Amino acid sequence: GREIQTLGLVPPEPGKDIHLALDMNLQKRASDMIEATASARAAVIATRPKTGELLVMASTPSYDPQAFEDHDQAKMYEYLTSTTHPLFNRATEGTYPPGSIFKLIVATGALEDKKIDENTIVVDTGQTKVGPAVYNNWFYTDYGKTEGDVNLIKALQRSNDTYFYKVGEKLGEGRIKHWSEEFGLGQKVPFPLDQAEGTIPSPFWKQERLGEDWFTGDTYNFSIGQGYALATPLQMHQVAAVFANNGTVCDPQLLKNAYPLCHPMKIAKHTVELVRKGMHQACETGGTAWPLFDFSVDGKRIQLGCKTGTAESQDSTTKPHAWFTVFAPFDDPQIQVTVMVENAGQGSSIAAPIAKEILTTYFTQNK
């Protein structure tokens, strides 16, 4: 501890300035919106699809890092012991059944593997039976109604479970797993924050983990993003980004004007166009995203592409997880937003209004 002599001195130099891509107005709006939900356990991500620049990454409940800097023992103890886990970044570390956003993957895989085309029809009778098990379409469960003949566009527009049960059965669990991995599920997104990998199940996985065989019902659940499938909000945001960016996905970037790191997906242009068309219809009258029908800012109509999702949690006594992803404007996307709210209810009624407010804020300040 005794200073003997100075051998040399290197004068400090100021570091280079960095500019984060984060938009503080959008970040604050997103945080305020999800903190106000009944669940208050949620995540929001927003990016520029063409570059991957990260405009928003919000997770609630959150914490004040100054408490750790100040050694505020009471606050630190509260954060570390809270059952709501405020130190947990739900956007990158939380894993949830992805629900109907996963149908984008199944639609793509079935088209690319030539199991269906745009004219393939599945008749929705409300219920699909496999032995003693019955698998309902959500519209039948909620309203007791059926939707008749359903093609791919209508299936995405209406998020029709019956269609995807049958298409998933044609595609098979092995190919669903393959296409999930092609879209980046089951692995970390190229992004420098702690992340979970999620789970993409298979017959081998089920036998090894649960000691049980794989059944057709497992494939049905897998096809609609339920059952054993788990993904992070960031992973599902990247899945939808493929369609926001016409078949190319860009790694999320923390720095503004950073060199984009983008990767074209090996899927046909026609496949991308069909899925995009279904996503556009989901945000139009007759689709599932009713809060965004006729979306406009200052009287100017803005076309959207979106997908709703409602994913049952493992605890049957709680509400489902609410999912929503959207990009705008449809023909030349400037922003993509993904919202996930834990155990809050329907994606259309809980997550979509949050995304709508973020879009409104963005387009208001970027006239």
Side-chain angles (χ1 to χ4, degrees):
R2 292 181 295 114
E3 182 176 335
I4 305 300
Q5 68 180 109
T6 299
L7 298 177
L9 182 66
V10 178
E13 295 181 6
K16 295 179 180 179
D17 290 342
I18 62 170
H19 298 275
L20 296 180
L22 287 171
D23 183 312
M24 288 305 297
N25 287 333
L26 288 184
Q27 179 77 18
K28 186 176 188 308
R29 187 64 179 142
S31 296
D32 289 346
M33 288 293 294
I34 55 180
E35 284 174 3
T37 64
S39 169
R41 299 188 306 277
V44 175
I45 299 161
T47 59
R48 298 188 190 278
K50 295 178 183 178
T51 64
E53 288 174 285
L54 188 70
L55 301 174
V56 174
M57 181 172 280
S59 174
T60 59
S62 190
Y63 66 97
D64 182 1
Q66 192 64 38
F68 293 89
E69 183 71 18
D70 297 341
H71 300 285
D72 185 332
Q73 297 294 327
K75 273 289 184 186
M76 289 163 55
Y77 181 79
E78 178 186 335
Y79 292 148
L80 292 167
T81 59
S82 172
T83 56
T84 61
H85 308 294
L87 301 178
F88 182 63
N89 184 359
R90 286 168 166 79
T92 63
E93 297 176 283
T95 58
Y96 311 90
S100 292
I101 297 178
F102 189 81
K103 293 171 182 174
L104 302 175
I105 296 175
V106 176
T108 300
L111 286 167
E112 290 294 291
D113 285 3
K114 311 298 183 187
K115 300 297 182 182
I116 62 167
D117 60 32
E118 60 192 291
N119 299 312
T120 299
I121 296 294
V122 172
V123 180
D124 172 35
T125 59
Q127 295 184 318
T128 303
K129 297 182 179 181
V130 181
V134 178
Y135 297 84
N136 289 355
N137 178 39
W138 70 268
F139 197 48
Y140 185 81
T141 299
D142 291 355
Y143 302 103
K145 297 181 179 181
T146 62
E147 299 194 275
D149 290 353
V150 180
N151 62 12
L152 176 66
I153 303 304
K154 184 176 180 180
L156 290 169
Q157 174 193 26
R158 298 291 301 150
S159 199
N160 187 276
D161 295 324
T162 303
Y163 182 91
F164 284 98
Y165 292 150
K166 291 301 183 182
V167 169
E169 188 175 11
K170 287 183 178 183
L171 186 57
E173 66 277 359
R175 295 302 289 175
I176 298 175
K177 176 179 170 62
H178 166 81
W179 282 105
S180 299
E181 292 169 345
E182 285 291 300
F183 274 88
L185 300 192
Q187 55 196 289
K188 294 179 181 179
V189 173
F191 185 66
L193 289 183
D194 289 344
Q195 298 178 51
E197 294 183 350
T199 300
I200 300 302
S202 67
F204 175 80
W205 176 91
K206 188 181 180 187
Q207 186 61 242
E208 184 179 51
R209 294 293 298 271
L210 303 177
E212 298 176 2
D213 293 333
W214 186 275
F215 299 103
T216 301
D218 293 319
T219 303
Y220 283 1
N221 282 328
F222 195 10
S223 300
I224 63 168
Q226 293 277 184
Y228 307 111
L230 296 173
T232 68
L234 182 60
Q235 287 173 327
M236 297 312 298
H237 182 84
Q238 292 298 95
V239 168
V242 172
F243 304 101
N245 202 28
N246 287 303
T248 296
V249 62
C250 300
D251 296 345
Q253 300 275 8
L254 283 169
L255 298 184
K256 191 173 184 178
N257 298 322
Y259 182 77
L261 300 173
C262 303
H263 321 279
M265 289 281 291
K266 295 178 181 178
I267 51 181
K269 180 181 178 181
H270 186 56
T271 295
V272 175
E273 289 173 348
L274 286 174
V275 175
R276 278 173 55 84
K277 186 175 180 180
M279 294 181 75
H280 181 252
Q281 292 301 312
C283 271
E284 294 290 305
T285 301
T288 54
W290 55 265
L292 288 107
F293 294 169
D294 301 319
F295 177 72
S296 61
V297 175
D298 293 336
K300 182 181 179 181
R301 180 83 155 86
I302 300 174
Q303 300 287 332
L304 311 172
C306 70
K307 187 71 193 74
T308 54
T310 303
E312 294 179 4
S313 62
Q314 297 297 326
D315 184 354
S316 61
T317 64
T318 58
K319 293 181 179 179
H321 305 309
W323 285 90
F324 187 68
T325 190
V326 59
F327 57 86
F330 181 78
D331 290 329
D332 185 22
Q334 300 172 28
I335 183 172
Q336 179 197 350
V337 181
T338 299
V339 179
M340 190 289 307
V341 188
E342 286 184 22
N343 301 125
Q346 300 287 329
S348 56
S349 58
I350 301 296
I354 295 172
K356 181 179 181 179
E357 286 299 316
I358 295 168
L359 291 177
T360 300
T361 301
Y362 178 85
F363 286 109
T364 299
Q365 68 185 31
N366 291 278
K367 294 178 182 178

